Amino acid sequence: MTGFPWLSILIALPVAGAALIMAARAMAGPAGPGVDRGVKIMALLVSIATLCVSIGVLLQFDPANPSFQLVERAAWAFGLEYHVGVDGLALSLVLLTTAITPLCILASWTIDKQVASYMILFLVLETLMIGVFCALDVILFYLFFEGGLIPMFILIGVWGGKNRVYAAFKFFLYTLLGSLLMLVAIVWMILTAGASSIPELMAHPFTANAQTWLWLAFFASFAVKMPMFPVHTWLPDAHVEAPTAGSVVLASILLKMGGYGFLRFSLPMFPDASQLFAPLVFALSVIAIVYASLVAFRQTDIKKLIAYSSVAHMGFVTMGIFSGSEIGIQGAIFQMLSHGVISGALFLCVGVIYERMHTREIAFYGGLVNRMPVYAAVFILFTMGNVGLPGTSGFPGEITTMTAAFLVNPLVAAGAALGVILSAAYALTLARKVIYGTIENPQLATIADLDSREWVLFVPLVAATLLFGLAPWIIFDFTEASASAIAQAYEAATTAIAAGAHP
Amino acid sequence: MMIEAILVLAPLAGAFVAGVFQKVLGDRLAMGITTALVGLSAILSLLVFIDLIWGGGAPRTIELMRFIEIGAFQSSWSVRVDTLSAVMLVVVTSVAFLVHVYSIGYMAEDPHRARFFSYLSFFTFAMLSLVTANDLLQMFFGWEGVGVASYLLIGFWYQKRTANDAAIKAFVTNRVGDFGFALGIMATFHFLGTIQFFPTEAGDVALFSAEVGGRLVDGVLHNLSHMSLMVGQWSIPAAELTAILLFIGAMGKSAQFFLHVWLPDAMEGPTPVSALIHAATMVTAGVVMICRMSELFEMAPNAAAFVTLIGAVTAIFAATVGLAQNDIKRVIAYSTCSQLGYMVFAAGVGAYDAAMFHLFTHAFFKALLFLGAGSVIHGLHHEQDMRYMGGVRRAMQFTWAMMLIGTLALIGAGLPIEGLKIGFAGFYSKDAAIEAAYAAGEGGRAFGMFAFWIGVAAAFLTSFYSWRLMFMTFEGTFRPNPHPSHGHEDVRPGAASDADLGHGADQHGAHGVDHTPSDAGPAGGSGHGRDHRTGGGDGEGRAAPAGTAPAHESPWVMLGPLAVLAVGAVFAGWFFYPYFIGYKADAFWEGAIHRHHADHHFPIWVLWAPVAVTAAGFLLASVFYLLTKGMAERIARAAGPLNAFLAQKWYFDELYDAVFVKGARALGDLFWKGGDQKLIDGLGPNGVAKAARFGGRQLRRAQTGFLYHYSFLMLAAAVLLGAFAIWAGGGLELLGG
């Protein structure tokens, strides 16, 4: 409670940096390349500073302790509370956020339209994302969760591609409709339980009937965020239209809010309902894996293909979470982090060639390896990660969530394992069409390999993919305490139902 | 012990250095480093093997680092050393080393040698981690690792469309097998709560028993025998289910019937790759896995019967297809497929020792045959269609002699006289497999007798297609190709344009076969050959007298490895027979695989049958391809549909393309355009938006329009809820809770 306010600083730092940029921008006078560059460097420094603070948080954190740490709690306006703290689950996602954001800003170096606004929005978005994972008050969580919509909406709507307005509204409507139901549920919960603190709500025994409705309301929001079948169709459009860094942040971090929500709210607060609906989630997860993989197979736009593969990979996350077992939850968290790295990297890969050629059409490309051998190697590595090759970080999450599913229902695991075959088919076909072969398109004859900025972008992502692929225990150890706490609580609650001891 | 760690990791270090620093090092240094490190690995492997077999070394497990640990789901990076893995260590590292050396000559003109050697070494590492795994997950890592190395090496000449397609086909087909393997891992964990092979600490729960610190820790695998999985009313025995799932993995990697389609196409890769990966090592991984899990297959008689059936069908199927192939590498590829069938059915009838023995000898003579074929292809300026060979023996005497030894080993030439048993390597091992099938059949094991007869029949076909290959390649007069392709090793029409690219044409232009009108052959179209001629031409074609192949013998760096392998192809069977199968076998295996101890005395005809049919195959091939001219073609024409059926590989590619590839495409389109765009977006966001816009203009009609969508949504929701109710209510009960 007392002590250095690590998390508050972490949450506030990006937005404070944004304010600084705003002030600096106002003083700098009319726009120009020099000013833009200064803004970019400032934004990058702010995001790096945030990363450093998050590493400081990591050093303060005791992974063996399953309870919330570095907790700060204070009264706030309107009788509400400011209440933040992290466990292994939350902190791992915070670190993902703070690590990906500097890369996103670096990836936005080529932005030349309203640079200051862009960078300010990005930093605000970072604050909101960190806030989501740190919030321990349900209202605070909701504010951060919904607040993130707005900068993302603007990023797509202003800096997006041709069809950006349609995509932005689709994204906004989908997520907002889901979230409104969640808001109603949150209000009802606070009134019923008399508390808005997440740890207290976790301890509150909601009746089975109430759980069912609350679970569905939260599900509406998180399922859209994940996104799960059949509410996934906003994602491909949003990705296609978003600027590169927007796609990265969307795939790497925003999607993880759904999985985080399931683990923070649905499973611990509504265990009975979670058990009741688990078969539905399994069915939707398997459908997502198979359906989205088959759709990905037919895409002609690189970003759409990767977007659909994201939908498929998130299917493993939901499957793992609602297995309710430690191995499933561990696997789901791992899969989220790994997907954050790999899909982010893949969208950066698309960004590299999009910036050079201004098209994402698969048919436009071909034979890139002849001109861009380093790029080709990076692309193939992340493709293999996407395929879930053992040795890359794509594998441990898939095998553990499937194992968890097998323990519950072998048919679900078998369905999900089909994704193992299908992902190889679509991902390697993409690699063949874009990377291999000869250069047929004369426009590609002079395309250049990665420059030094792009090297800096990819080196950490390559390292993370291999490190967490070969030594996944680094992450598993870190999230073990909180994952097993969630699993044990869930098991205790559901065993109690089975024994008929429920209120 | 550090030795074990070094021997596994040295090739990885080589791969990393050669791959990442190829620009800095240059090709020569990259080749030198990778070859030296694999050589080091080979020496250490040999030391470990010798120590284990003759030096009194004990089976052991060295744990290097944790991998995944979640509760009981535990896997670590380990090096398991026992007879099974030591045999594989020797096979893998020695063949890999020879292939590295050979490739220095074979790939001398390739501009991407550093990348090639990096891939080769990476493959070697992955294969080593597979065979030395102490749990199913590390085995799976190696399993998929060799898969991706194979993908990269098949597609090494990335400018060739056919090579890229073959690479994807290999990877995806193997993934179908991996689907089974992964589920097998999950099933093992589900039933037994562990995926570890041997215990390393006193408290370990592992599948198999082993001594830890002087005390025997019992394995838990035997618990499977009284477990089952309820699916509906059916109770599936746990051992059978797990064994079948794992075997599906083996079918993919070892190119067994149904999942064999990738192996012949994999010949698009450079020939040394075919020798290393698609003959001696990777494709045998399935056999290794079955042998590692031999105790499991012994507990699952139905699964073992299935293994026998698939192995036997593969043996005969691939042999029939091998009869009608004209590409020299594809003949050997189908031969590999067929021999893998022998290994698999031997394992299926419980003769894991015979399976491993055949794997061991096969590695030598099949690598020899592939590298020999590579020498021929190299000598003939990248011609690999046997119709355009002939008379090569005079120009390439050494290669011919090596290929002859390989052929004799493959067909199993030898004399099965009691007490005077003598023959080439394949004679000991293949006959051991065939005899084991006979014994199993006598013992009432399912499909044992079937496998025996298939084994004999396939031995006849093996002999026939092997001699056909030898005669078409080396004997008779040279038949030049009227449509030479200068691409890498590619002879298929239509592929030439893809292959005829940048460095491919340039670097091999100097070797272009010079086609004067007189030797252009009867098929016409000789002008085409001229168009492809680039560079100066080395004049060998012109210098060769009519009817003699314009070939040159390969350099010693290529022939040396052939000679080493030839020693193995001659003596490996004779020398190691007592250890693998004979009287020293129990001491040799030390319980690494399950062994049956029934002492069999075979009727004399059982021993002689394979030898007799092999001789018959030789005689028939001599009549067809040596003594008479054009007889083979006449018969092929007369048997038109049958010949086409065989030449087209039983139309498996066409069938799979129609069902799986086109099916996936159609489903993908249906889901995308029908599901996402029409149904979900149409009813969801777009539908709502449309209805809202409509409503602004025309309230009355909007209501009906909205109702229309609304009713559809209701219907969809009802269907979903109904399905859910069935799933939640009945489905779980059906699954037995």
Side-chain angles (χ1 to χ4, degrees):
Chain A
M1 304 284 168
T2 53
F4 194 70
W6 278 102
L7 293 181
S8 295
I9 291 174
L10 185 65
I11 295 168
L13 193 56
V15 81
L20 202 68
I21 291 176
M22 203 184 278
R25 181 67 193 79
M27 283 186 284
V35 176
D36 285 352
R37 199 177 157 73
V39 166
K40 285 170 190 166
I41 290 173
M42 274 178 79
L44 185 62
L45 288 176
V46 170
S47 65
I48 290 173
T50 313
L51 174 62
C52 293
V53 174
S54 69
I55 290 169
V57 172
L58 175 65
L59 297 176
Q60 299 295 312
F61 183 81
D62 172 19
N65 180 353
S67 52
F68 291 105
Q69 298 174 45
L70 302 168
V71 175
E72 297 168 46
R73 194 167 186 175
W76 196 35
F78 314 116
L80 300 174
E81 262 192 332
Y82 175 78
H83 187 184
V84 292
V86 286
D87 61 356
L89 162 68
L91 185 53
S92 62
L93 289 165
V94 166
L95 288 165
L96 178 69
T97 308
T98 56
I100 293 288
T101 306
L103 298 179
C104 285
I105 288 174
L106 200 58
S108 308
W109 227 243
T110 48
I111 294 275
D112 51 7
K113 183 171 135 189
Q114 300 174 32
V115 177
S117 314
Y118 180 95
M119 291 300 166
I120 288 166
L121 275 173
F122 234 100
L123 291 172
V124 170
L125 183 60
E126 184 178 19
T127 281
L128 295 171
M129 292 186 299
I130 297 172
V132 167
F133 299 128
C134 290
L136 286 185
D137 183 278
V138 69
I139 292 285
L140 196 63
F141 170 83
Y142 186 79
L143 290 178
F144 284 129
F145 190 83
E146 286 308 290
L149 266 182
I150 298 159
M152 199 62 217
F153 174 73
I154 303 174
L155 278 173
I156 297 175
V158 175
W159 286 272
K162 279 186 218 111
N163 215 356
R164 58 182 182 259
V165 177
Y166 169 74
F169 270 99
K170 200 172 177 182
F171 164 71
F172 196 76
L173 282 177
Y174 248 120
T175 40
L176 189 71
L177 280 173
S179 305
L180 284 178
L181 289 172
M182 183 170 76
L183 180 64
V184 174
I186 286 176
V187 170
W188 191 88
M189 277 166 77
I190 296 174
L191 295 177
T192 310
S196 65
S197 143
I198 288 174
E200 283 165 49
L201 286 172
M202 280 178 180
H204 184 85
F206 292 102
T207 64
N209 192 30
Q211 282 194 26
T212 306
W213 291 106
L214 292 171
W215 191 93
L216 283 171
F218 276 83
F219 183 73
S221 178
F222 299 145
V224 168
K225 261 292 185 308
M226 274 309 299
M228 290 177 72
F229 178 86
V231 288
H232 62 278
T233 60
W234 63 271
L235 186 73
D237 284 308
H239 268 310
V240 165
E241 301 304 331
T244 298
S247 285
V248 174
V249 97
L250 190 59
S252 293
I253 304 158
L254 289 180
L255 300 190
K256 309 304 176 290
M257 292 181 179
Y260 177 76
F262 282 134
L263 284 169
R264 186 61 79 225
F265 295 91
S266 304
L267 222 49
M269 294 184 197
F270 326 124
D272 313 9
S274 293
Q275 197 181 36
L276 176 69
F277 286 112
L280 174 72
V281 176
F282 283 154
L284 292 178
S285 305
V286 171
I287 291 173
I289 292 169
V290 175
Y291 179 102
S293 300
L294 283 167
V295 175
F297 192 52
R298 297 304 288 156
Q299 296 308 306
T300 54
D301 180 304
I302 307 177
K303 265 193 170 179
K304 265 201 174 163
L305 192 153
I306 301 169
Y308 275 107
S309 99
S310 282
V311 177
H313 284 99
M314 289 297 108
F316 287 98
V317 175
T318 44
M319 185 176 76
I321 290 172
F322 284 93
S323 72
S325 56
E326 187 191 340
I327 179 170
I329 292 170
Q330 281 272 50
I333 300 172
F334 195 98
Q335 176 77 352
M336 288 201 280
L337 296 171
S338 159
H339 180 263
V341 172
I342 291 174
S343 74
L346 282 171
F347 279 117
L348 285 177
C349 284
V350 181
V352 166
I353 50 176
Y354 182 77
E355 278 175 13
R356 286 161 172 70
M357 292 292 141
H358 303 286
T359 176
R360 295 175 310 265
E361 276 298 310
I362 294 171
F364 180 89
Y365 296 99
L368 287 182
V369 63
N370 296 287
R371 294 277 316 162
M372 310 172 73
V374 178
Y375 175 77
V378 169
F379 191 96
I380 295 298
L381 176 78
F382 291 121
T383 296
M384 286 301 166
N386 202 25
V387 166
L389 187 82
T392 70
S393 67
F395 173 68
E398 285 186 10
I399 191 75
T400 47
T401 50
M402 283 195 288
T403 303
F406 196 103
L407 299 177
V408 180
N409 184 338
L411 293 180
V412 171
L418 283 177
V420 167
I421 305 170
L422 296 172
S423 68
Y426 69 71
L428 296 185
T429 307
L430 174 69
R432 190 204 76 208
K433 288 181 178 163
V434 173
I435 300 294
Y436 293 133
T438 49
I439 289 188
E440 307 280 345
N441 187 341
Q443 286 170 273
L444 295 172
T446 55
I447 194 167
D449 208 344
L450 300 185
D451 60 26
S452 52
R453 177 181 63 92
E454 289 158 343
W455 267 90
V456 174
L457 280 179
F458 285 116
V459 165
L461 295 169
V462 168
T465 303
L466 292 177
L467 176 68
F468 298 136
L470 294 171
W473 55 267
I474 297 173
I475 289 178
F476 284 133
D477 280 6
F478 189 77
T479 54
E480 185 183 3
S482 47
S484 79
I486 295 170
Q488 278 166 16
Y490 179 70
E491 202 194 332
T494 49
T495 322
I497 318 169
H502 195 266
Chain B
M1 286 277 274
M2 281 311 289
I3 289 183
E4 291 88 348
I6 292 171
L7 81 86
V8 173
L9 295 175
L12 177 65
F16 180 81
V17 169
V20 175
F21 302 110
Q22 47 182 285
K23 286 259 167 59
V24 188
L25 296 172
D27 284 339
R28 294 186 140 270
L29 208 52
M31 292 193 298
I33 291 171
T34 49
T35 308
L37 284 169
V38 172
L40 172 71
S41 193
I43 292 167
L44 295 179
S45 298
L46 211 55
L47 289 177
V48 166
F49 181 81
I50 290 168
D51 173 61
L52 194 69
I53 307 304
W54 293 288
R60 57 199 178 272
T61 309
I62 295 99
E63 285 193 345
L64 301 177
M65 187 177 81
R66 293 194 290 156
F67 181 37
I68 293 180
E69 279 179 20
I70 306 173
F73 192 78
Q74 295 202 344
S75 165
S76 54
W77 298 110
S78 319
V79 184
R80 169 72 190 171
V81 177
D82 58 15
T83 309
L84 180 64
S85 63
V87 167
M88 289 310 294
L89 283 180
V90 170
V91 169
V92 172
T93 56
S94 55
V95 174
F97 174 66
L98 294 173
V99 166
H100 273 76
V101 172
Y102 178 92
S103 299
I104 294 173
Y106 190 85
M107 301 297 283
E109 296 158 352
D110 198 282
H112 297 287
R113 277 174 293 173
R115 183 164 62 90
F116 183 76
F117 277 74
S118 170
Y119 290 170
L120 277 188
S121 281
F122 175 72
F123 168 82
T124 310
F125 159 72
M127 190 71 203
L128 292 176
S129 69
L130 190 165
V131 300
T132 60
N134 191 39
D135 55 57
L136 284 168
L137 218 55
Q138 185 187 324
M139 189 179 247
F140 192 68
F141 164 82
W143 194 267
E144 292 244 300
V146 293
V148 76
S150 169
Y151 162 81
L152 292 169
L153 282 164
I154 296 169
F156 178 74
W157 287 315
Y158 51 69
Q159 288 155 317
K160 251 170 76 178
R161 173 66 191 266
T162 48
N164 292 325
D165 286 342
I168 292 181
K169 189 175 179 180
F171 197 86
V172 173
T173 311
N174 267 294
R175 274 264 160 148
V176 176
D178 295 355
F179 163 84
F181 193 167
L183 285 171
I185 296 173
M186 296 173 214
T188 308
F189 183 72
H190 176 70
F191 294 121
L192 300 172
T194 181
I195 51 171
Q196 192 176 332
F197 293 145
F198 295 93
T200 50
E201 287 161 29
D204 276 359
V205 181
L207 299 177
F208 311 122
S209 311
E211 275 196 9
V212 177
R215 268 194 44 233
L216 189 74
V217 178
D218 269 330
V220 295
L221 187 74
H222 59 86
N223 293 342
L224 269 185
S225 59
H226 41 78
M227 288 182 176
S228 60
L229 186 77
M230 296 294 293
V231 175
Q233 308 80 320
W234 295 298
S235 154
I236 304 175
E240 301 281 4
L241 177 70
T242 313
I244 290 280
L245 287 172
L246 290 175
F247 178 61
I248 291 171
M251 283 170 69
K253 199 108 288 181
S254 290
Q256 295 297 291
F257 196 65
F258 295 126
L259 295 183
H260 63 278
V261 289
W262 64 272
L263 181 60
D265 284 22
M267 299 303 120
E268 290 292 336
T271 305
V273 171
S274 312
L276 176 61
I277 299 187
H278 306 125
T281 56
M282 184 180 88
V283 290
T284 64
V287 181
V288 175
M289 186 245 265
I290 297 171
C291 290
R292 179 58 85 199
M293 302 300 288
S294 54
E295 302 286 350
L296 170 66
F297 284 87
E298 284 304 299
M299 291 161 63
N302 293 318
F306 181 66
V307 174
T308 313
L309 177 66
I310 290 289
V313 170
T314 307
I316 192 81
F317 154 77
T320 61
V321 176
L323 296 176
Q325 300 301 310
N326 291 316
D327 183 320
I328 186 168
K329 282 179 73 182
R330 285 186 184 237
V331 175
I332 307 177
Y334 277 106
S335 159
T336 303
C337 199
S338 171
Q339 297 302 310
L340 288 165
Y342 278 93
M343 298 173 210
V344 168
F345 81 61
V349 299
Y352 306 99
D353 46 8
M356 281 307 295
F357 191 37
H358 196 46
L359 184 164
F360 180 73
T361 61
H362 177 261
F364 293 104
F365 60 72
K366 192 53 65 72
L368 174 61
L369 283 171
F370 260 120
L371 293 184
S375 177
V376 171
I377 293 167
H378 190 261
L380 282 175
H381 321 290
H382 296 267
E383 176 63 76
Q384 60 190 69
D385 192 323
M386 297 191 300
R387 284 171 299 184
Y388 310 122
M389 295 182 182
V392 176
R393 173 157 57 94
R394 258 155 296 174
M396 306 182 74
Q397 298 236 342
F398 188 85
T399 300
W400 168 77
M402 294 298 108
M403 289 285 280
L404 184 64
I405 290 173
T407 300
L408 289 168
L410 168 63
I411 65 170
L415 291 174
I417 300 165
E418 200 80 32
L420 208 90
K421 213 169 155 146
I422 189 104
F424 288 84
F427 162 72
Y428 293 92
S429 57
K430 195 204 294 179
D431 287 12
I434 294 173
E435 286 159 16
Y438 179 83
E442 288 275 273
R445 229 171 142 124
F447 295 114
M449 220 31 107
F450 173 75
F452 168 72
W453 285 112
I454 291 282
V456 172
F460 167 72
L461 299 177
T462 305
S463 172
F464 182 82
Y465 69 65
S466 298
W467 291 113
R468 172 177 176 264
L469 182 152
M470 287 300 287
F471 297 153
M472 282 181 81
T473 306
F474 290 104
E475 308 302 330
T477 52
F478 180 60
R479 305 171 292 274
N481 185 355
H483 299 283
S485 148
H486 289 268
H488 287 293
E489 306 193 358
D490 201 306
V491 295
R492 279 182 293 161
S497 58
D498 280 318
D500 196 2
L501 36 89
H503 71 266
D506 290 345
Q507 99 203 38
H508 297 297
H511 280 276
V513 182
D514 193 0
H515 289 279
T516 56
S518 66
D519 68 5
S526 56
H528 193 62
R530 271 178 207 280
D531 298 340
H532 277 269
R533 200 171 67 193
T534 48
D538 57 9
E540 277 174 290
R542 247 162 299 168
T548 313
H552 60 78
E553 188 56 283
S554 299
W556 277 106
V557 71
M558 287 167 66
L559 300 180
L562 292 182
V564 178
L565 289 169
V567 172
V570 175
F571 297 109
W574 166 77
F575 184 80
F576 280 104
Y577 182 83
Y579 294 94
F580 277 81
I581 299 184
Y583 66 99
K584 294 178 185 167
D586 277 331
F588 176 76
W589 287 109
E590 292 186 283
I593 57 169
H594 184 94
R595 295 197 71 240
H596 289 275
H597 286 276
D599 200 18
H600 269 282
H601 283 283
F602 297 101
I604 198 95
W605 66 270
V606 171
L607 301 176
W608 279 95
V611 179
V613 297
T614 299
F618 169 72
L619 290 176
L620 206 61
S622 311
V623 172
F624 275 31
Y625 293 96
L626 208 56
L627 305 176
T628 60
K629 260 198 155 126
M631 182 160 168
E633 284 78 11
R634 279 199 299 281
I635 290 180
R637 265 197 301 279
L642 179 68
N643 188 53
F645 181 69
L646 296 182
Q648 293 304 312
K649 311 155 241 174
W650 296 27
Y651 295 104
F652 261 100
D653 283 343
E654 287 75 7
L655 180 73
Y656 283 3
D657 187 62
V659 176
F660 296 117
V661 180
K662 295 222 167 68
R665 275 194 205 133
L667 267 180
D669 278 339
L670 177 72
F671 288 159
W672 179 28
K673 299 199 168 122
D676 266 25
Q677 290 181 350
K678 282 225 179 73
L679 212 65
I680 298 174
D681 280 357
L683 298 179
N686 298 354
V688 172
K690 217 185 278 170
R693 266 203 304 279
F694 210 54
R697 291 199 301 269
Q698 220 171 350
L699 197 71
R700 275 178 66 88
R701 285 191 60 191
Q703 274 174 336
T704 54
F706 200 80
L707 272 178
Y708 174 73
H709 286 303
Y710 192 64
S711 56
F712 246 91
L713 238 136
M714 291 268 286
L715 193 67
V719 170
L720 266 174
L721 273 175
F724 169 54
I726 293 166
W727 175 279
L732 276 186
E733 262 176 34
L734 282 179
L735 287 165

